[in-house]
Amino acid sequence: MRKFFPVKTLAAAMLMAGSGSALAIEAASMDLGGVHFTPVLKLSESYDDNFRATGGAGEQSSWITTINPSFELAARDRLNVYKLTYSFNSDTFHSSHNDNNIDHHLDLDAHMEFNSRNRLTLNAGYDKVEDVAGTEVNGINDKYHTYNIGGVYGFGAEAAMMQFELGANQQWLRYDNNQMLNGSLVNADKERDTTTLTGTAYYRVAPKTRALFEMRYNDYEYQQAGSTLDSDAMAYLLGLTWDATAKTSGTAKLGYSKKKFDAAGREDVSGSIWEVGVNWQPRTYSTFSLNTRRSMEEGSQNAEDAIDTTRTSLNWNHAWTSRISSDVGYTYMEEDYEYTGANSRKDETHEFALGMNYELRRWVDVGMGYKYQDVESNNGVAADTYDRNIFMLKLTMGL
């Protein structure tokens, strides 16, 4: 199983790199009798010299036109907020029309505060996606849809010494490919139901700093008959979250995770994990962001048990004037494939992104960006080692 960033992930990252977060458009809303309607339209034209994210003979290049409108309906009742959000993402590949596709995303969100101590956040979502890059079979796009429903209940006043959060989420992942591979549908082995339960306790150690202890439980139930990937995973994390000064804020968690497989032929996987996100703002118009994460990602049938993934990114956003901003980012990712009885594969990914943004009006801006990706794998398969260049121009408009 190859692990890559799909073309949409890279394109979205470039849009963010060129958006200039300090100068993002301020889209206005229409008041529809107490419900606010906010439309936003993003248009982009990009050139991708390896849109399938593969090495060797499978490399293909194309100009890609992307149309990405989004619509939000929001209502507020004192501290309670309700939102319905829909967006679609249309990609047109000018050198490969068979890869043209449209993704759909629908979300329902509700945040309710019953009193100063009790609050509840709910979410339900549907996504229908077609990935062109990093697919299971080169040249056959991965088509899938997901449903999810979940919520987080919080207890404790904002200024209290302690707060607690309990969360639950259920996700269903299904593939829509109709091509056959080795006697079964492509990607049939990846279909799964995932149940997630979380609990977090916060303890205030300073006016703007809280210590935390978090527990997570994940149950993975695969749908293919005979799958050996069914498992339970537990994680325990300790950390801090702070907003200590006007310049620095962040969250840091360090812990341990263990994944136990139902099948006797699979070896359990365990190890340290961490999640760190820190923002440093030396000036009001300049922000540095550091994010690093280590986690155990899902493996694949008849191959690795899990993928030990470490990802670190550094980004700098700077507003040069009231209208012009830039983003520079670097990401390093390391993937160690955990096999039963061996660990024989390691992938390394380097990414560099640069974006510039110009705000024409409050409701419209234009930007340009470049992204380079280099992937090296020691498994000896030519398709798994490659590089990739993406150039993009984009336009964002609101009301």
Side-chain angles (χ1 to χ4, degrees):
M1 177 182 180
R2 291 186 294 145
K3 296 287 289 184
F4 296 112
F5 294 111
V7 65
K8 294 181 178 63
T9 303
L10 283 176
M14 287 190 62
L15 283 171
M16 291 172 63
S19 67
S21 58
L23 298 175
I25 69 166
E26 300 176 13
S29 301
M30 299 171 58
D31 190 347
L32 306 177
V35 177
H36 294 275
F37 174 63
T38 308
V40 174
L41 176 62
K42 297 179 182 178
L43 306 173
S44 69
E45 187 70 23
S46 60
Y47 176 76
D48 190 333
D49 71 354
N50 186 8
F51 67 82
R52 294 204 184 278
T54 187
E59 292 188 13
Q60 289 183 257
S61 63
S62 181
W63 285 93
I64 305 169
T65 300
T66 300
I67 303 173
N68 176 213
S70 63
F71 310 93
E72 179 184 277
L73 289 171
R76 179 183 292 273
D77 176 20
R78 292 174 295 182
L79 297 177
N80 303 326
V81 180
Y82 310 92
K83 290 183 180 180
L84 168 65
T85 306
Y86 169 73
S87 68
F88 70 82
N89 190 96
S90 170
D91 285 335
T92 301
F93 292 77
H94 297 281
S95 299
S96 180
H97 291 299
N98 288 336
D99 292 306
N100 296 350
N101 62 84
I102 301 177
D103 296 344
H104 299 272
H105 307 280
L106 178 66
D107 280 285
L108 290 168
D109 296 281
H111 176 75
M112 295 164 282
E113 298 199 14
F114 307 109
N115 51 50
S116 62
R117 293 184 177 181
N118 295 274
R119 53 201 169 273
L120 179 65
T121 300
L122 300 173
N123 169 264
Y126 169 77
D127 299 279
K128 185 175 180 62
V129 178
E130 181 173 342
D131 284 340
V132 178
T135 56
E136 183 71 14
V137 180
N138 191 42
I140 299 179
N141 295 350
D142 289 341
K143 303 176 183 179
Y144 60 92
H145 61 274
T146 65
Y147 303 90
N148 79 276
I149 184 169
V152 177
Y153 167 71
F155 175 78
E158 183 177 348
M161 186 65 70
M162 295 192 70
Q163 297 93 23
F164 301 91
E165 290 182 350
L166 297 174
N169 188 77
Q170 180 71 35
Q171 184 189 67
W172 298 266
L173 169 64
R174 298 294 184 268
Y175 278 81
D176 303 313
N177 292 97
N178 55 17
Q179 300 91 347
M180 300 296 292
L181 177 68
N182 298 327
S184 63
L185 290 173
V186 171
N187 293 314
D189 60 316
K190 298 180 186 177
E191 295 188 340
R192 63 180 182 264
D193 298 343
T194 304
T195 303
T196 302
L197 301 174
T198 62
T200 308
Y202 297 91
Y203 182 80
R204 192 172 301 279
V205 295
K208 295 186 177 182
T209 303
R210 295 182 296 167
L212 65 88
F213 173 67
E214 182 173 336
M215 297 177 61
R216 299 177 188 165
Y217 168 77
N218 285 283
D219 175 75
Y220 301 96
E221 182 178 345
Y222 284 78
Q223 300 304 297
Q224 187 180 55
S227 176
T228 61
L229 291 171
D230 291 355
S231 66
D232 297 310
M234 282 295 303
Y236 309 89
L237 300 104
L238 286 170
L240 291 172
T241 180
W242 70 94
D243 190 7
T245 69
K247 294 183 177 181
T248 306
S249 61
T251 299
K253 305 176 186 178
L254 176 64
Y256 173 81
S257 174
K258 184 170 184 178
K259 186 180 185 68
K260 299 182 65 176
F261 291 95
D262 295 349
R266 294 272 187 179
E267 287 188 1
D268 296 343
V269 179
S270 62
S272 61
I273 59 173
W274 62 75
E275 298 172 4
V276 178
V278 179
N279 292 323
W280 178 53
Q281 195 172 31
R283 298 289 187 271
T284 57
Y285 49 82
S286 191
T287 303
F288 293 87
S289 299
L290 172 67
N291 291 277
T292 181
R293 174 186 176 91
R294 185 186 184 190
S295 60
M296 287 290 178
E297 303 299 329
E298 286 298 281
S300 54
Q301 185 70 9
N302 302 319
E304 72 279 350
D305 300 322
I307 305 174
D308 184 358
T309 304
T310 302
R311 179 181 174 90
T312 302
S313 63
L314 178 64
N315 187 79
W316 174 44
N317 172 262
H318 187 86
W320 299 96
T321 71
S322 61
R323 293 181 179 271
I324 299 174
S325 66
S326 66
D327 270 279
V328 180
Y330 170 75
T331 298
Y332 172 75
M333 184 169 68
E334 183 176 292
E335 297 169 292
D336 289 309
Y337 287 65
E338 303 285 346
Y339 293 87
T340 297
N343 184 2
S344 59
R345 178 177 173 181
K346 179 178 179 179
D347 292 358
E348 293 185 350
T349 301
H350 298 268
E351 294 180 6
F352 174 77
L354 173 66
M356 294 292 296
N357 191 81
Y358 179 69
E359 183 180 348
L360 289 171
R361 297 288 188 274
R362 172 197 56 79
W363 51 274
V364 59
D365 63 28
V366 295
M368 59 187 299
Y370 167 74
K371 192 176 188 82
Y372 172 75
Q373 183 184 50
D374 175 73
V375 178
E376 299 284 342
S377 179
N378 68 354
N379 70 341
V381 178
D384 293 339
T385 296
Y386 65 91
D387 56 22
R388 185 178 180 188
N389 295 274
I390 304 177
F391 304 85
M392 179 181 287
L393 294 173
K394 63 98 179 177
L395 172 69
T396 303
M397 296 181 291
L399 292 179

